[in-house]
Amino acid sequence: MTAGVRLVVLGKQGAGKGTQCVRLSHRYAVPHISTGDMLRAAVREQTELGLKAKTLMDSGQLLPDELIMGVVAERLGERDARTRGFLLDGFPRTIGQAEMLESTVAEAPLDCVIDLEVPTELVMNRLVSRRVCTACGAIYSTSQPPIHGWVCDNCGGEVIQRKDDTADAIMVRLQAYEKETRPLIEFYRDRGLLETIDGSEDPDSVFAVTVAIIKKRQADQSR
Ligand SMILES: [Zn+2]
């Protein structure tokens, strides 16, 4: 059986993080833990946490680090994560969360933190040309459209450009991400955990490079 892995994956919107996370979690057979997905599910299912999160978000407040860490810690405590490892996507977001994570996983620390780096101009091009299926969420682009007009190949749903995928809106999100993430990059660089990967190549190459880097990390650790 292949070894698992304990990873944090960082990357701005349009850097291909979603694609790489799915492939990495399959490759290492570890749960892909997306805090965004978990919170959306909690809100949908109206769990105690979901209701609390919704109240805060509706009033425009950020969710406290403790609340998010609580959700993540619970998931990390499940058997698959304890035995195989995990891939964290969208977490940590703040230094406070990063510190809490560090102490939560103190006994089996992270193998590394992958930062998918893509120039803003390229990300901008990717995002403004992006088209999305309104029914199943499949992603297309103006250069790779569905086969028959703007009808989804998977489900026949309507494929559209999202309202918030305009150049101005994207720039605002990218700048916010940059500001939010810079301290985290420093935090992990200081701990020798940061691996910056060029995400501008095609997804297969990015994946191959990432796997090679993880392999080297794990070999160095077991030495
Ligand atoms: Zn679809």
Side-chain angles (χ1 to χ4, degrees), residues 133 135-138 152 154-157:
C133 172
C136 75
C152 179
N154 294 340
C155 75

Side-chain angles (χ1 to χ4, degrees), residues 118-190:
V118 177
T120 300
E121 199 183 274
L122 180 61
V123 166
M124 185 59 95
N125 287 339
R126 281 183 186 173
L127 292 177
V128 291
S129 64
R130 181 168 72 172
R131 301 293 181 271
V132 182
C133 172
T134 50
C136 75
I139 296 188
Y140 300 90
S141 74
T142 49
S143 56
Q144 285 181 306
I147 299 166
H148 303 291
W150 293 102
V151 174
C152 179
D153 295 340
N154 294 340
C155 75
E158 189 191 3
V159 176
I160 60 149
Q161 178 172 33
R162 280 194 197 135
K163 274 206 187 70
D164 56 351
D165 277 351
T166 63
D168 286 349
I170 293 165
M171 189 50 83
V172 168
R173 293 204 299 274
L174 290 178
Q175 281 167 351
Y177 175 84
E178 201 74 30
K179 189 165 171 249
E180 179 182 86
T181 314
R182 205 173 301 131
L184 282 176
I185 301 276
E186 292 307 319
F187 179 91
Y188 286 121
R189 185 178 289 137
D190 286 349

Side-chain angles (χ1 to χ4, degrees), residues 7-11 24 112-116 193-197 210 213-214:
L7 279 186
V8 166
V9 183
L10 304 172
L24 288 167
C112 61
V113 173
I114 303 289
D115 179 32
L116 284 174
L193 285 171
L194 188 71
E195 291 285 3
T196 304
I197 293 180
T210 309
I213 282 173
I214 293 170

